[in-house]
Amino acid sequence: MMKSRALREHLDRMREILHGLLDYPYFEPFYYWSPASDMPPDQAEPELISAVADRSEVQFHSVGIYLAPDSIPVGTLEIAIDDEAGEVCGIVSIRGMTRAPTWTKAGASLDETIKTFVNAISIDDEDGAEPSA
């Protein structure tokens, strides 16, 4: 069956587009987070509350963790910051698993502190290994 010139041109253009899609660049996956929100202490994970029970003045924050480049929500990070001691305790819940609370030095800013925890999560975290902040 013969195709019209317009149809042949359209098919050629579609082939060019499809060929371009096949050469689409691959991006390494990475985690990013939503803006931090203040969290009342009674809404934090019980393990986090227990880990900071002996601290007097802590601020609680929560962030959502996403897998890029597809923006897939994969978990949350809850942190308790002890400004006086310059320390922070964080607990990560990712892919349905909650890790043990981890203490580390607080960063220069809230975003730097969050970055420390998020960067410690392995993209291949399927083995259940603890993130090490």
Side-chain angles (χ1 to χ4, degrees):
M1 190 182 270
M2 304 247 348
K3 296 179 178 91
S4 70
R5 176 183 164 106
L7 181 57
R8 283 193 316 258
E9 289 173 358
H10 180 72
L11 288 173
D12 288 343
R13 178 68 183 130
M14 295 308 294
R15 285 186 186 101
E16 286 176 34
I17 292 171
L18 289 174
H19 179 70
L21 289 176
L22 295 176
D23 292 338
Y24 197 76
Y26 173 76
F27 294 98
E28 288 290 326
F30 63 93
Y31 291 118
Y32 69 94
W33 59 93
S34 62
S37 55
D38 295 339
M39 181 174 61
D42 61 343
Q43 291 182 2
E45 289 284 340
E47 295 88 355
L48 182 60
I49 294 170
S50 294
V52 300
D54 61 340
R55 309 283 177 128
S56 59
E57 296 286 325
V58 293
Q59 301 167 358
F60 290 85
H61 302 278
S62 177
V63 298
I65 302 171
Y66 300 86
L67 182 62
D70 298 324
S71 299
I72 300 169
V74 293
T76 59
L77 166 66
E78 294 180 5
I79 56 174
I81 300 174
D82 183 344
D83 283 327
E84 187 175 305
E87 296 178 327
V88 61
C89 185
I91 189 166
V92 174
S93 298
I94 193 162
R95 296 186 182 107
M97 296 180 65
T98 301
R99 308 297 193 240
T102 303
W103 283 96
T104 190
K105 293 289 182 195
S109 67
L110 180 57
D111 274 343
E112 285 296 317
T113 300
I114 293 167
K115 182 179 180 179
T116 300
F117 282 94
V118 173
N119 285 348
I121 303 168
S122 170
I123 293 295
D124 301 318
D125 205 21
E126 302 295 329
D127 60 1
E130 296 285 328
S132 55

